[in-house]
């Protein structure tokens, strides 16, 4: 892309790019020069301007006083918020797809690119370790975020959950629902809180404990973007991918088990429809049968003229009943296995299951 010289007519795309960078606090002249040097790439232009600003600051300015830091951080946050709002308006207006998602993202990534990579020892140290070497290994918020993200590399559920949470907090900054995490929530406990580095990562991107929740009280858009980018890079490494495969396999097995249980319920319901209605209690000629399935016992009344087929269908309708059933008459000792082919039409009276009887239901 060839950029127009200063004073020339700008296209709508060039005007949008200039506006994006100016909202970060740079002048129009600085923005044009940086875009010219970066061939129109907004993210690279922001990075060049920030690098130049750091260089000039170190050469010509006295060391910054600690008291001035809050004001600088507050101004940066406001500028990033304005840039993100401008970006959202562009997205709503179908801006060019090649433009970075927001200037806040560009600034955040530029900030992170100017920091040295975190120490491998710091990235691999377990959560909760507070040695002196750790205190010196992580020297900036960006490095702290990267170190926490590295601890989550083999935890696909935690990584995916945190990316979703950060994405919502970035896209809907005024929605309180996405700026608060209930730490007692079962899913959060299982996916994030129980994982080493999970809570520490949320602290690193700005969440604070408050009344049983983690709350994004003082929102720093750049830290949110850096956190999301760090987790997205974790998704590319092999420990994450192996963990993701295990999660998907487990979900598939659970889904298969769920489908199997549903089919079992349908099958038992179908057998129950074949069973004659239960006669009233105390009615003459009734037979009361006790079905033993594992440790469970179920009593049911039949008419004495009902057949072994009726009893078999009821046994197959019971929870925990096996797919292929064998029935043993355990009313008397020794138990007798009933012939489910030859005796299927025999009445309960003929099978000596009247006026009462006990049947054990076992796998065939």
């Amino acid at each position: 892309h060839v950029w127009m010289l200063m004073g020339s007519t700008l296209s709508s795309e060039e005007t949008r790019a200039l506006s994006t960078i100016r909202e970060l606090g740079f002048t129009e002249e600085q923005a044009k020069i940086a875009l010219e040097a970066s061939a129109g790439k907004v993210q690279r232009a922001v990075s060049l301007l920030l690098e130049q600003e750091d260089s000039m600051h170190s050469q010509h300015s006295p060391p910054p006083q600690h008291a001035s830091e809050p004001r600088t951080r507050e101004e940066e946050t406001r500028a990033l918020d304005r840039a993100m709002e401008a970006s959202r308006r562009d997205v709503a207006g179908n801006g060019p797809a090649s433009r970075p998602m927001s200037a806040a993202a560009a600034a955040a990534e530029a900030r992170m690119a100017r920091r040295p990579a975190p120490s491998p020892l710091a990235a691999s140290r377990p959560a909760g370790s507070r040695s002196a070497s750790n205190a010196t290994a992580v020297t900036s918020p960006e490095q702290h975020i990267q170190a926490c993200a590295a601890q989550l590399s083999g935890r696909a559920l935690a990584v995916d959950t945190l990316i979703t949470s950060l994405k919502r907090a970035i896209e809907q900054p005024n929605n309180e629902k996405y700026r608060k995490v209930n730490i007692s929530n079962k899913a959060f406990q299982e996916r994030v809180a129980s994982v080493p580095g999970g809570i520490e990562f949320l602290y690193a991107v700005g969440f604070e404990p408050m009344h049983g929740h983690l709350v994004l009280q003082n929102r720093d858009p750049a830290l949110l973007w850096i956190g999301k980018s760090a987790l997205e890079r974790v998704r590319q490494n092999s420990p994450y991918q192996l963990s993701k495969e295990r999660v998907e396999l487990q979900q598939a097995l659970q889904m298969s088990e769920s489908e199997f249980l549903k089919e079992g319920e349908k099958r038992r319901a179908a057998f129950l429809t074949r069973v004659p209605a239960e006669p009233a209690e105390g009615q003459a000629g009734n037979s009361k049968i006790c079905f033993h399935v594992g440790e469970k016992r179920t009593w049911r009344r039949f008419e004495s003229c009902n057949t072994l087929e009726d009893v078999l269908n009821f046994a197959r309708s019971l929870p925990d009943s096996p797919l292929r059933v064998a029935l043993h008459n355990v009313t008397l000792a020794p138990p007798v296995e009933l012939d489910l082919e030859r005796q299927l039409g025999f009445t309960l009276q003929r099978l000596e299951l009247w006026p009462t009887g006990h049947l054990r239901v076992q796998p065939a």
Side-chain angles (χ1 to χ4, degrees):
H1 181 86
V2 179
W3 281 79
M4 306 292 291
L5 296 175
M6 286 184 289
S8 304
T9 303
L10 301 178
S11 67
S12 58
E13 181 182 351
E14 293 167 341
T15 301
R16 280 194 297 269
L18 283 172
S19 176
T20 297
I21 298 176
R22 289 186 65 190
E23 284 174 346
L24 288 175
F26 298 102
T27 66
E28 182 173 346
E29 182 178 358
Q30 288 174 322
K32 285 184 177 181
I33 294 173
L35 287 168
E36 187 76 30
S38 63
K41 296 180 180 178
V42 175
Q43 182 174 340
R44 178 58 183 155
V46 172
S47 181
L48 289 173
L49 288 169
L50 290 172
E51 289 172 2
Q52 182 185 35
E53 188 177 66
D54 283 352
S55 175
M56 292 177 63
H57 183 80
S58 63
Q59 292 175 15
H60 303 293
S61 301
Q65 298 299 317
H66 186 71
S68 67
E69 185 177 344
R71 182 185 64 80
T72 303
R73 186 178 297 276
E74 183 180 352
E75 289 176 352
E76 181 187 55
T77 299
R78 286 201 300 268
L80 290 172
D81 280 334
R82 290 195 301 271
M84 289 184 69
E85 182 60 32
S87 177
R88 283 191 290 273
R89 289 197 301 269
D90 285 342
V91 172
N94 297 320
S98 61
R99 185 182 180 189
M101 188 170 182
S102 78
E109 293 188 8
R111 277 173 57 179
M112 185 166 58
R114 288 166 22 237
R115 303 287 186 180
S119 164
L121 291 176
S124 61
R125 184 174 289 108
S129 174
R130 293 291 182 269
S131 65
S133 60
N134 190 42
T136 58
V138 178
T139 58
S140 70
E142 290 86 347
Q143 284 183 308
H144 188 199
I145 290 172
Q146 290 176 318
C148 292
Q151 292 183 55
L152 300 170
S153 62
R155 306 284 187 162
L157 273 179
V159 170
D160 293 346
T161 301
L162 288 169
I163 286 177
T164 299
S165 297
L166 293 184
K167 183 178 179 183
R168 288 171 176 169
I170 290 169
E171 293 177 348
Q172 301 186 47
N174 298 319
N175 191 331
E176 293 296 328
K177 177 181 178 182
Y178 299 134
R179 298 180 65 168
K180 184 168 63 175
V181 176
N182 183 359
I183 59 177
S184 63
N185 179 272
K186 183 180 179 181
F188 176 78
Q189 287 285 339
E190 293 176 351
R191 297 183 178 188
V192 179
S194 62
V195 175
I199 296 291
E200 190 175 357
F201 179 88
L202 287 171
Y203 288 160
V205 297
F207 283 83
E208 304 172 32
M210 185 177 296
H211 306 301
H213 292 76
L214 292 178
V215 181
L216 197 59
Q217 189 77 1
N218 300 310
R219 179 174 163 274
D220 185 337
L223 289 183
L224 295 176
W225 274 103
I226 291 169
K228 179 171 172 286
S229 298
L231 291 175
E232 287 172 344
R233 282 195 296 274
V234 166
R235 276 181 166 172
Q236 307 303 317
N237 65 32
S238 56
Y240 169 87
Q241 292 169 7
L242 289 173
S243 174
K244 186 69 172 177
E245 289 177 4
R246 288 195 297 269
V247 169
E248 291 175 348
L249 177 59
Q250 184 177 3
Q251 290 175 343
L253 291 174
Q254 289 174 347
M255 187 179 298
S256 298
E257 182 180 359
S258 174
E259 293 296 326
F260 175 79
L261 292 175
K262 288 180 181 179
E263 287 299 318
E265 291 173 2
K266 290 168 61 177
R267 174 178 53 82
R268 287 191 293 272
F271 282 125
L272 190 60
T273 62
R274 304 176 192 174
V275 181
E278 186 173 17
E281 188 172 2
Q283 183 175 322
N286 283 355
S287 179
K288 196 170 184 180
I289 307 294
C290 180
F291 295 83
H292 301 245
V293 182
E295 298 297 323
K296 297 180 181 179
R297 297 188 178 189
T298 304
W299 287 91
R300 213 271 191 182
R301 295 185 300 276
F302 293 87
E303 295 183 8
S304 59
C305 62
N306 289 151
T307 64
L308 178 59
E309 182 176 8
D310 299 326
V311 171
L312 176 62
N313 285 329
F314 182 78
R316 286 172 168 167
S317 74
L318 294 172
D320 301 323
S321 179
L323 287 173
R324 298 184 61 191
V325 169
L327 294 179
H328 295 258
N329 185 349
V330 294
T331 309
L332 301 174
V336 177
E337 182 175 1
L338 301 177
D339 191 330
L340 299 183
E341 292 184 2
R342 298 181 181 181
Q343 297 178 314
L344 205 58
F346 286 14
T347 65
L348 299 184
Q349 189 171 11
R350 184 174 177 181
L351 293 169
E352 299 182 355
L353 292 171
W354 178 86
T356 187
H358 289 258
L359 292 173
R360 181 182 294 126
V361 182
Q362 294 180 327

